[in-house]
């Protein structure tokens, strides 16, 4: 009912009296119960009817009863009603329908509905269906209101009649409202006399396919978890959510990993969830056409997440096993350890609990310790990050309540006269801003676009000839909806409350931004045309300098695909398609085929920006009057920014011209250096590179010959020691060689060690004021107790350095020494093996 909040409060711009809905819902508060009961689901379809100051309890309760008993044919003797314990009005109405024995008074936890800590709320009445005592065989049922599967809530009638304020008091709403909710899956279950929601039509084919993939005789709970979670994941991805470690993305990742783990415990250690998507599309695609459009994209995203998660589950389970030590018992771990396993291996605390439960035990830990470790990790990750990106909007919210909405005039004009309504400095309201000071200005209206929807805020000037005021607008923000705030630097005069200022947007910057914003729309349309309709926007940034567009796609674009996308955008630019902009409801916009994006906040009315058949999107930004105003377009980069998310960076207009000019300069420089024409340059460059490769090969051959000669000379310097391996004396070679490549140093040491058979090799070099060295020891010597790490440690002491390594190889470094060769000779002489 969130979309109806303003209607409940009597604040809607276009009031409604009644509404009915069917909407998809996702709730994970009971995720640990999915599979263990016959009724719990994370994804379900919710039916509802609403009244906004029209009918109320007297009508809603009998209508609900009549619908279930007459329309749905449920037996009246199996229906019960629960009411809020203090709701006498509902009790009197139910008393006309049911005897006292079938009316149950319950407390606030179950029968008083709240939208949040504040906002619309009220008592509710649930209609319960008695499924028989066989549904509570495992425990003693306490009757209606018991949390078992016997008395199933079919319909919840919420009487939204109060507004809970910040001080927790309940104030009567201007009008009394009805909000009902009835789960389609549960209704299906009771009408058809099924044992569980997983026996409904939607789940039958899906369950059979899961059995095919898991094989054998999988546990019923596992089948249910996989079926529910893959269905939930499919719809989340359809709505544009991608797996991540934050917010909705974390919910999605957790659902996928819980489902994967059920396959894992049944021996399925390869991706299989992605193959279930087609079954869901077949069953539900007619009701949700977006499923069909995005099915391939959904499959790809789930498969990628599966591949990434399978190794995580294996390694993470092993780490948990080591921490638990003994299976089958209750175990207590430190909260830090549980968080470490999550942070390192991706197994969240609930999955860890499930794994231990599957082992026959119970995992306990301190939630406080867990949260402390999580907070510490978050703070560590943020060190060195300049700016949190978060703004405390409390002050702006208070100002908006006092001042109202700030009208945006920037669609029609780039300059207006406006009165100063508020001034802020360092987060506090002030009465004036003086020359040289920086602060924020709120005006009665503005032609400046406040940053939103990926488009940066406008820049420009505020001035008053009368008061000799001149201020530069460095940025414009919209910290809360319909409230524009200008960040300024006062260059002259004094800005005071109630002054009238002339405000002017920087025309050049605005137009450059408009070109990039319009190009973003054409780019999005081109991506969907070339790559497929499964492509959805995942983020954008539009500025005067360039545009950045993030979109869902499972793999890197080929050069040919990039060329085709550029061609499509350019064709629409050259066609000079005029723009139309209309204002209406989001539903109307979608009926026109406009693209709207999950995660964006839309008001009751939205702008639809259309460029003929090329592009239609819901967007409140600023755009060119026709596509020809973009001028030109060029993609300058394509990259990955996360799992199944690609990023395109591009330039348009002047920025594209500057890019082409710079490329021209580079090309001119290359042709000049190659002494060729542009047409000849590629062939000429190939020949130059071939010659370079040939010369490098010759140089490498000369170096090898030189090294062979050098190695032979070095081998003669090896000193024989009294120590023997069997009957063979051990030799030691400690020499300085000239090289700047530590890799060459190691290769030389290994080569000389192999030549010496039972020889210890220490090679060192000096460069940039430091000594680097390596030690290589054959396995035969290691068996006699001689190790490279010990020898390296001893040499490091002589050069005030450090070392590290293993038995057969070690390396280190230290300070420069006046005579490295002499140091090596002394070390060779004094070394006691």
């Amino acid at each position: 009912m969130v979309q109806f909040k303003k209607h409940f409060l009597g604040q809607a711009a276009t009031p409604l009296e009644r509404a009915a809905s069917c909407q998809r819902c996702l709730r994970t508060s009971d995720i640990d119960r999915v599979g263990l009961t016959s009724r719990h689901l994370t994804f379900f379809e919710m039916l509802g009817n609403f009244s906004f100051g029209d009918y109320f309890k007297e009508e809603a309760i009998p209508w609900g009863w009549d619908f279930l008993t007459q329309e749905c044919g449920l037996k009246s003797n199996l229906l019960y009603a629960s009411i809020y314990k203090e709701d006498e009005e509902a009790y009197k109405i139910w008393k006309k329908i049911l005897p006292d024995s079938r009316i149950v008074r319950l407390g606030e936890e179950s029968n008083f509905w709240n939208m949040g800590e504040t906002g619309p709320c009220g008592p509710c009445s649930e209609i319960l269906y008695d499924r028989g005592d066989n549904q509570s065989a495992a425990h003693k049922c306490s009757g209606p209101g018991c949390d078992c599967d016997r008395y199933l809530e079919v319909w919840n009638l919420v009487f939204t009649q109060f507004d809970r304020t910040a001080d927790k008091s309940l104030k009567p709403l201007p009008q009394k409202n009805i909000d009902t909710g009835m789960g389609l899956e549960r209704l299906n279950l009771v009408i058809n006399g099924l044992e569980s929601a997983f026996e409904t039509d939607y789940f039958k084919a899906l369950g059979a396919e899961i059995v095919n993939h898991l094989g054998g005789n999988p546990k019923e709970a596992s089948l249910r978890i996989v079926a529910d979670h893959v269905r939930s994941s499919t719809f989340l991805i359809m709505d544009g959510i991608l797996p991540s470690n934050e917010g909705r993305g974390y919910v999605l990742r957790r659902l996928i990993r819980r489902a994967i783990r059920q396959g894992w415990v049944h021996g399925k250690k390869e991706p299989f969830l992605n193959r279930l998507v087609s079954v869901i599309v077949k069953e539900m695609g007619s009701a949700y056409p977006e499923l069909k459009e995005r099915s391939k994209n959904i499959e790809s995203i789930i498969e990628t997440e599966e591949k990434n998660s399978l190794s995580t589950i294996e390694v993470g389970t092993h780490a948990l096993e080591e921490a638990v030590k003994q299976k089958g018992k209750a175990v207590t771990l430190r909260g830090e350890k549980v968080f470490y396993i999550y942070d390192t291996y991706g197994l969240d605390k609930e999955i860890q609990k499930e794994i231990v439960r599957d082992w026959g035990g119970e995992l306990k830990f301190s939630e406080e310790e867990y949260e402390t470790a999580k907070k510490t990790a978050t703070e560590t990750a943020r060190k060195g990050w300049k700016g949190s990106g978060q703004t405390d909007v409390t002050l702006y919210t208070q100002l908006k309540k006092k001042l109202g909405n700030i009208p945006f005039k920037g669609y029609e004009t780039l300059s207006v006269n406006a009165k100063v309504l508020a001034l802020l400095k360092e987060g506090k309201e002030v009465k004036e801003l003086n020359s040289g000071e920086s602060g924020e200005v709120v005006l009665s209206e503005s032609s400046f676009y406040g940053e939103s929807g990926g488009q940066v805020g406008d820049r420009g000037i505020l001035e008053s000839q009368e008061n000799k005021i001149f201020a530069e607008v460095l940025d414009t923000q919209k910290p809360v909806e319909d409230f524009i705030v200008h960040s300024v630097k006062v260059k002259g005069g004094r800005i005071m409350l109630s002054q009238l200022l002339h405000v002017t947007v920087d025309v050049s910057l605005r137009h450059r931004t408009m070109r990039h914003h319009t190009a973003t729309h054409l780019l999005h349309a081109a991506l969907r045309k070339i790559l497929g309709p499964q492509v959805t926007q995942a983020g954008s940034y539009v500025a005067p300098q360039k545009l950045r567009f993030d979109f869902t796609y499972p793999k890197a674009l080929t050069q040919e695909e990039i060329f085709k996308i550029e061609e499509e955008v350019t064709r629409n630019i050259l066609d000079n398609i005029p723009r139309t902009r209309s204002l209406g409801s989001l539903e109307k916009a979608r009926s026109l085929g406009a693209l709207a994006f999950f995660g964006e906040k839309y008001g009751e009315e939205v702008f639809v920006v259309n460029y003929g058949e090329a592009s239609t999107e819901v967007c409140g930004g600023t755009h060119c009057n026709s596509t020809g105003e973009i001028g030109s377009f060029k993609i300058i980069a394509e990259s990955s920014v996360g799992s199944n998310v690609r990023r395109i960076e591009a330039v348009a207009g002047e920025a594209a011209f500057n890019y082409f000019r710079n490329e021209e300069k580079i090309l001119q420089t290359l042709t000049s250096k190659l002494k060729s024409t542009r047409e000849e340059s590629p062939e000429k460059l190939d020949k130059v590179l071939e010659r370079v490769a040939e010369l490098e090969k010759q140089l490498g051959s000369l170096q090898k010959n030189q090294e062979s000669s050098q190695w032979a000379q070095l081998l003669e310097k090896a000193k024989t020691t009294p120590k023997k391996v069997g009957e063979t004396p051990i030799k030691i070679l400690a020499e300085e060689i000239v090289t700047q490549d530590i890799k060459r140093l190691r290769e030389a040491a290994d080569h000389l060690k192999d030549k010496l058979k039972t020889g210890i090799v220490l090679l060192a070099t000096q460069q940039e004021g430091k000594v680097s060295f390596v030690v290589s020891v054959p396995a035969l010597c290691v068996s006699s107790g001689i190790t490279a790490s010990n020898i390296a440690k001893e040499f490091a002491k002589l050069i005030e350095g450090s070392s590290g390594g293993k038995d057969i190889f070690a390396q280190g470094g230290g300070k420069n020494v006046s005579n490295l060769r002499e140091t090596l000779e002394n070390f060779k002489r004094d070394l006691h093996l």
Side-chain angles (χ1 to χ4, degrees), residues 426-569:
E426 296 176 354
K428 295 181 181 179
E429 285 192 74
V430 295
K431 294 182 179 180
E432 60 185 35
L433 286 174
N434 295 302
S435 180
E437 292 184 330
S438 297
E440 294 174 309
V441 179
V442 180
L443 301 168
S444 57
E445 61 183 44
S446 179
S447 54
F448 283 70
Y449 183 84
E451 181 175 345
S452 58
Q455 179 175 328
V456 300
D458 279 330
R459 300 178 67 171
I461 57 172
L462 308 180
E463 57 187 339
S464 169
Q465 296 295 331
E466 180 183 350
N467 298 303
K468 297 181 180 179
I469 296 169
F470 182 83
E472 185 179 358
V473 179
L474 303 174
D475 189 20
T476 309
Q477 290 291 321
K478 195 161 60 173
V480 290
E481 193 65 27
D482 297 322
F483 196 74
I484 301 169
V485 179
H486 311 79
S487 297
V488 306
K489 172 80 172 180
V490 183
K491 297 295 184 73
R494 175 190 301 168
I495 301 178
M496 301 178 69
L497 292 174
S498 300
Q499 281 179 334
L500 191 66
L501 298 177
H502 185 67
V503 302
T504 306
V505 174
D506 185 312
V507 178
S508 175
L509 292 178
R510 165 68 82 84
H511 284 172
R512 283 152 60 188
T513 302
M514 286 166 58
R515 292 185 183 100
H516 281 127
H517 201 145
T518 307
T520 300
H521 286 226
L522 298 185
L523 170 62
H524 188 191
L527 286 166
R528 290 170 64 85
K529 182 175 181 178
I530 304 302
L531 304 180
Q534 73 273 16
V535 169
T536 55
Q537 181 174 336
S540 68
Y541 172 78
V542 180
Q545 300 81 17
K546 68 175 182 178
L547 71 86
R548 189 175 69 219
F549 189 81
D550 297 343
F551 58 98
T552 58
Y553 199 64
K555 57 185 178 181
L557 272 59
T558 65
Q559 193 59 56
E560 184 62 29
E561 287 170 331
I562 291 173
F563 286 155
K564 285 182 179 179
I565 292 163
E566 288 178 329
E567 286 173 4
E568 177 67 16
V569 173

Side-chain angles (χ1 to χ4, degrees), residues 76-95:
S76 59
N77 65 315
L78 296 178
L79 294 175
Y80 288 72
S82 72
I83 60 172
Y84 178 53
K85 60 184 180 181
E86 298 176 6
D87 191 352
E88 293 302 323
E89 188 180 3
Y91 170 74
K92 289 177 183 178
I93 298 169
W94 275 117
K95 190 76 174 70

